[in-house]
Amino acid sequence: MNPESKPSAAPEAMQQTALDSSVFRETLEQADVAVSITDGKANILYVNPAFTRVTGYSAEDAVGRNQSLISNKTTPRTVYTSLWRKITNGQSWSGRLVNRRRDGTPYLADLTITPVQDASGVTVNYLGMHRDITLLHELECQVRNQKALIESVVDTAPVLIALLDANRRVVLDNHAYKKLMADLGMQEPAQQILAAAGFASTTLIEEEPGEFIFHDREVCLERSGWATPRWFSCSLVSVEEDDATADAFFVRQRRRYLLLTAIEITNLRAEQEKSRMAALRAVLAEAERIDGLRESLSAAIYQLEGPINVISSAVAMLARRSQSEPMAQALADAVAAGQAALENLRSEIPPARFEEREAVSVNELLRDVLELSTRSLLAAGIVVNWTPASRLPSLLGYPNRLRTMFKALVDNALEAMNVKGWRERELHLSTRATRGGIEVLIEDSGPGIPAELRLRAFEPFFSTKKGGGRHLGTGLSAAQQTANDHGGLIEIDEAAGRGCRIRLSFPLRNSDGGLA
Ligand code: FAD
């Protein structure tokens, strides 16, 4: 063969065979791993100094003895059986065994045994190499224990926890989170919570690791099948971890995650809502009491003013005929007394309640009114159809006055339908954002207001209801006053079919009163 055509590896092979056996011996002597060479029955023929350092047995102590010399006699028999099965089959074996040093102390050995075969393939020796990994094992155990401890704490915590990667995928979650996922019909709660919290999936994270992106944000999750919406107080924090891949061994790389935590506060919200409703009920009851008093006094004054004006004209006529007529004097005294009484009544009218103007949610006010009227509506068998606009701008106004007005209109509808024998009992409530304003419709399926009375219905003290008593006929006129005070309009919708449809429209105004 032409020497030039030889494979290029040949000179290296030659170089390797040329190595003196003393080089191999020195290499074994100086290797920092415990090395032993045995015969086919594990009787020790050679140990290196590292073996002595790890086990405490010198070469003189060990050579001629069996490898079982360093066994702690606590490794399960099955381990040895599989070890021997493998090495007698000519294969290497690696694993962990409990060894004992010469001084009697146990240690954990990470051992590899390699069969050494002669030219005919027969195993003549075994090469054993092992390291003391007791400390490493302790650290591994500590990490495992801590992980198990943290996992059990995280799993039993009544807080939903989810870790999201850079693509907003959940990579770790806890038991509470999984339970909500099952409740949501296996939809990922993290995405829904983030969306409800107003955190878009494309939002760039600028916060430093450990910083909150949002904190204690209340979100509401709804699902058909749930009787009521569920509320959660959520926090999102940016976290980082070291990249464990080989690429990042020398150049530290960090991975960014988002840690989402959420505590269910549905019960707390329900309690808060109950207290708020109780307070609202009290405020409305007080408002109704004052309005009732104002109404009654105004009605009394209105009714007295008529006769007093007639008597007053009669007195004037009598006075023109004769100054000295005793009857004229008596009547003049009566008129003066009557006017003084009217003045007294006027001064008894309680002042209108003072209220600050603020940005109000009309949807929320109507929801409050429905909540406050639930019991009466249910008792009257009225089906409510509530269609709020999904997005409605805030109205700058007086929340209590508006709530009182909506309550009075709902009460009117309820009374109109709650008549013995009346079968159609439906109340439709809806809101809508219009061009530059808000529209509210309150529609009932009652007998309605006849066309010829629709305009008069807004006159003070006009009522279609017989029997007086509670009905002084100021409800619609007071509603008109409230609507006017908000720059709005109230009308009875002519286009409505059956029943009565009240349309309220409010323009949106700036804080200085100008149109928005
Ligand atoms: P057994 O395993 O039953 O041993 C009884 C005797 O028979 C021992 O001499 C054993 O070596 C030998 N033997 C068992 N099965 C076979 C077989 N199939 N073919 C030939 N001989 C067999 N054990 C440790 O606990 N710690 C070590 O660090 C360790 N290092 C080893 C390094 C090498 C290179 C080899 C080859 C074995 C090593 N062993 C080690 C295994 C060890 O030889 C024993 O098998 C083990 O310690 C259990 O010993 P035993 O006396 O309790 O029982």
Side-chain angles (χ1 to χ4, degrees):
M1 185 189 266
N2 182 350
E4 302 221 346
S5 66
K6 275 187 182 173
S8 59
E12 284 167 30
M14 281 171 67
Q15 214 177 355
Q16 278 191 21
T17 48
L19 264 182
D20 193 88
S21 60
S22 64
V23 176
F24 290 104
R25 191 174 179 90
E26 275 312 306
T27 307
L28 286 180
E29 284 287 298
Q30 292 176 36
D32 196 27
V33 57
V35 176
S36 59
I37 298 173
T38 72
D39 65 11
K41 291 215 181 283
N43 296 314
I44 300 170
L45 304 173
Y46 165 83
V47 295
N48 73 347
F51 183 96
T52 304
R53 281 199 297 276
V54 173
T55 65
Y57 289 105
S58 65
E60 292 76 42
D61 295 331
V63 172
R65 312 275 300 270
N66 192 273
Q67 274 286 170
S68 63
L69 168 74
I70 54 171
S71 163
N72 191 49
K73 313 289 180 205
T74 49
T75 301
R77 192 122 295 274
T78 50
V79 177
Y80 291 127
T81 312
S82 97
L83 174 161
W84 278 106
R85 192 180 305 123
K86 223 155 177 210
I87 61 173
T88 50
N89 269 338
Q91 294 170 303
S92 286
W93 177 91
S94 293
R96 291 176 174 188
L97 303 173
V98 186
N99 276 355
R100 187 164 42 195
R101 292 189 186 88
R102 190 167 192 222
D103 63 10
T105 52
Y107 70 94
L108 191 71
D110 184 43
L111 169 69
T112 297
I113 301 175
T114 310
V116 182
Q117 292 160 349
D118 63 13
S120 59
V122 175
T123 298
V124 284
N125 295 101
Y126 291 110
L127 168 69
M129 291 187 289
H130 80 266
R131 285 184 309 129
D132 177 355
I133 56 155
T134 314
L135 200 64
L136 183 71
H137 173 70
E138 274 173 20
L139 291 174
E140 276 175 6
C141 274
Q142 274 173 19
V143 170
R144 252 201 318 271
N145 290 346
Q146 276 175 6
K147 187 168 172 276
L149 200 73
I150 291 168
E151 273 173 7
S152 65
V153 169
V154 163
D155 256 349
T156 50
V159 183
L160 284 91
I161 301 174
L163 191 69
L164 290 88
D165 67 10
N167 298 318
R168 310 287 198 264
R169 274 188 313 239
V170 176
V171 289
L172 205 81
D173 56 16
N174 72 339
H175 183 71
Y177 181 88
K178 287 191 182 81
K179 193 169 172 305
L180 179 65
M181 184 147 111
D183 290 351
L184 280 169
M186 299 318 279
Q187 290 178 43
E188 199 68 74
Q191 318 305 341
Q192 297 192 34
I193 289 174
L194 291 179
F199 181 79
S201 57
T202 48
T203 307
L204 279 177
I205 310 297
E206 283 162 2
E207 285 74 9
E208 289 295 310
E211 260 183 23
F212 280 103
I213 296 161
F214 58 78
H215 191 243
D216 282 347
R217 197 172 286 179
E218 292 193 1
V219 303
C220 172
L221 296 188
E222 291 190 64
R223 185 176 182 237
S224 57
W226 287 357
T228 48
R230 290 169 70 177
W231 286 88
F232 296 85
S233 171
C234 308
S235 301
L236 190 68
V237 68
S238 161
V239 288
E240 273 190 351
E241 71 157 17
D242 274 334
D243 188 342
T245 59
D247 278 352
F249 187 77
F250 290 112
V251 185
R252 194 179 175 208
Q253 285 171 27
R254 314 281 288 162
R255 284 219 191 104
R256 180 63 73 93
Y257 292 92
L258 294 174
L259 181 66
L260 175 70
T261 53
I263 302 175
E264 179 147 16
I265 51 163
T266 310
N267 290 344
L268 186 75
R269 285 286 296 214
E271 284 303 314
Q272 283 173 345
E273 190 59 14
K274 230 192 258 172
S275 318
R276 194 178 75 88
M277 277 298 148
L280 263 187
R281 232 170 244 128
V283 167
L284 274 182
E286 177 63 5
E288 275 175 12
R289 191 186 68 78
I290 292 176
D291 288 349
L293 206 57
R294 285 169 61 84
E295 255 180 62
S296 309
L297 287 171
S298 303
I301 292 166
Y302 178 77
Q303 281 170 7
L304 282 174
E305 267 171 346
I308 287 176
N309 284 344
V310 173
I311 300 170
S312 200
S313 311
V315 169
M317 276 165 58
L318 281 173
R320 272 199 297 278
R321 281 197 216 142
S322 152
Q323 290 284 341
S324 57
E325 177 98 31
M327 178 64 107
Q329 190 50 49
L331 281 176
D333 290 348
V335 168
Q339 271 163 348
L342 279 181
E343 228 17 75
N344 265 344
L345 282 178
R346 274 194 200 98
S347 66
E348 289 302 319
I349 295 178
R353 286 157 292 141
F354 174 77
E355 203 181 351
E356 290 281 1
R357 222 158 49 136
E358 58 184 82
V360 290
S361 156
V362 171
N363 277 350
E364 256 173 46
L365 293 183
L366 284 162
R367 213 172 277 134
D368 286 350
V369 167
L370 283 177
E371 176 73 31
L372 288 167
S373 309
T374 302
R375 220 177 292 162
S376 338
L377 289 164
L378 280 175
I382 291 169
V383 177
V384 177
N385 190 338
W386 165 225
T387 335
S390 55
R391 294 177 78 86
L392 203 62
S394 300
L395 179 71
L396 199 62
Y398 307 99
N400 283 331
R401 291 186 60 192
L402 286 167
R403 204 182 283 111
T404 307
M405 175 189 74
F406 291 136
K407 173 88 166 47
L409 294 172
V410 167
D411 283 350
N412 276 355
L414 192 151
E415 278 185 36
M417 292 183 281
N418 197 17
V419 179
K420 210 170 173 203
W422 196 265
R423 298 179 73 162
E424 288 167 57
R425 296 179 177 221
E426 280 178 30
L427 176 66
H428 294 262
L429 251 81
S430 62
T431 56
R432 189 168 73 91
T434 57
R435 278 183 126 221
I438 291 173
E439 184 186 84
V440 179
L441 289 179
I442 301 175
E443 184 176 6
D444 64 61
S445 58
I449 302 175
E452 65 277 12
L453 297 180
R454 280 179 192 162
L455 272 180
R456 289 197 59 206
F458 292 101
E459 288 175 11
F461 310 116
F462 174 84
S463 175
T464 56
K465 292 160 192 155
K466 305 277 181 305
R470 284 188 59 210
H471 302 292
L472 295 165
T474 53
L476 279 181
S477 76
Q480 190 171 45
Q481 187 59 50
T482 303
N484 288 349
D485 291 347
H486 287 82
L489 267 183
I490 179 167
E491 54 193 328
I492 298 168
D493 195 346
E494 302 286 336
R498 300 159 303 134
C500 176
R501 179 155 73 191
I502 304 283
R503 180 193 304 276
L504 290 135
S505 25
F506 301 98
L508 295 178
R509 289 176 183 276
N510 302 321
S511 51
D512 58 8
L515 285 174

